[in-house]
Every structure is written in C-alpha cells, then in structure tokens.
Amino acid sequence: MTHISESRPRHADLPRPSRPRPRAQEPRTPPPMLPGTDEPPAPASVRAAFALWLTAVAAGVFETVLALIGAAADGDASLGDLSGGLALRVAVYSAVVLVAVRMRRGGNGARLALAGVLGVLGTLSLLIEPVRWLADGHPLGAAFRDLGAVDLLFGASRALHVAAVLAAVALMFRPSANAWFGAARRPR
C-alpha cells in the first residue's frame, strides 16, 4: 500500500530572503480637470483663464497658418525657412498648452510662468511689429488703406490673441484665484 503524504517543496526549509517592502507613499495627484471634481473646486476665474489661454493658442495657430499661406503665395521664404518657423511655433504652442493645463490643476509656478513669459514677453512680441511700424512714421490711416481679406483676418486674430492673453493674466490673479492657488499648494 502506498502512503500518500503531503509533500513539502524542497526549498520550504530554506529561509526566505527578506525583500525590502516599498514604502507606502500616496502619490500627489493634481486635481482633476473635470467639472465638479476639483478638490477644492477651481473658481470661475481660473477656469475662464484656462479657456482664454487656449483661445490665445488657437489665435496664434490661426495667425501662423495665415502667415504661412501668405509667405508661400508671395514666394518670400524657402521651405526650410517656413518649416523652421513652424517647428518653433508648434513647440511654443505645445508648451503653452501644457503649462496652462498645469495652471488649471493648481500649479502656482505655471500661473507665474504664464503671466511673466507670455503675459509680458509674449504680449510685447505681439505688439512690437505694429508699434515699430508706427514709430517709423507711417500714418495710422495708411495701415488700413491697402488691407486685404487676409490682412483683416490676421489683424482680428491678433487683436483676439492679445485680448485673450491680457484677460487671462488678469483672471489668474483675481482674489478667488489667489486663494485657490494658495489652497492647492497646501498638502492634503
């Protein structure tokens, strides 16, 4: 008669090496961006500022498309010149969207970067060309005399772009936004 016994694996008698257990850390996740799920909820001024940053990016993309079409139609630039400028703009617009998302999630550093880099330097870069043109002695009426449809579209887009940036900066520093960014920095 065969006796069936419970068999133990051969290695059961060997001591098990102790593995260090990973520390239980709660990952700090940014507040979600879905409406009604922010903790604490983002004030309307922050949500509106985020929408305005996206509006500014969309206006910039539109201006880029118009400028590329104009340069290609006029034969003013080579394909290399156009592609280099386009690559730079794609990188800048992508970075702006990423920083705006971080701002919308409560990142105060992102808010400060948007205000300083784009609110100040970006706005100056948008306005420098028209101001320089006027400073060169061109009368304001001459700017409107020979405008075509593309020029009007570009000008309207640029005006929207600048207005969106200025409004977004103002909204990001409203008292309700300041309080929310302060609360978002505190550990939970």
Side-chain angles (χ1 to χ4, degrees):
M1 172 177 238
T2 47
H3 185 279
I4 300 177
S5 67
E6 291 182 32
S7 64
R8 289 179 20 183
R10 288 186 218 172
H11 58 79
D13 295 336
L14 298 176
R16 291 187 177 181
S18 64
R19 293 183 188 157
R21 295 183 182 248
R23 280 202 242 157
Q25 293 179 355
E26 283 189 35
R28 182 178 162 142
T29 57
M33 289 181 50
L34 298 175
T37 60
D38 293 337
E39 293 295 331
S45 61
V46 172
R47 294 189 311 268
F50 176 71
L52 286 168
W53 284 117
L54 295 182
T55 301
V57 168
V61 168
F62 184 70
E63 292 164 29
T64 300
V65 169
L66 289 176
L68 288 172
I69 290 170
D74 295 343
D76 290 342
S78 70
L79 183 59
D81 293 339
L82 294 177
S83 63
L86 181 61
L88 175 64
R89 283 174 175 75
V90 167
V92 168
Y93 297 146
S94 298
V96 171
V97 169
L98 292 174
V99 174
V101 166
R102 183 67 192 121
M103 179 277 303
R104 172 61 180 83
R105 290 182 172 173
N108 192 51
R111 173 176 73 145
L112 296 174
L114 287 168
V117 175
L118 296 173
V120 175
L121 299 176
T123 300
L124 287 175
S125 74
L126 294 173
L127 297 176
I128 195 77
E129 186 180 334
V131 169
R132 188 179 306 161
W133 187 81
L134 288 171
D136 286 343
H138 295 92
L140 189 56
F144 298 102
R145 189 174 332 128
D146 299 323
L147 289 180
V150 173
D151 298 321
L152 289 173
L153 286 172
F154 190 90
S157 180
R158 180 60 55 97
L160 174 65
H161 192 156
V162 171
V165 168
L166 295 177
V169 170
L171 288 170
M172 289 190 309
F173 290 94
R174 302 264 323 203
S176 61
N178 290 335
W180 183 75
F181 282 105
R185 282 189 301 213
R186 287 188 211 104
R188 294 174 200 189

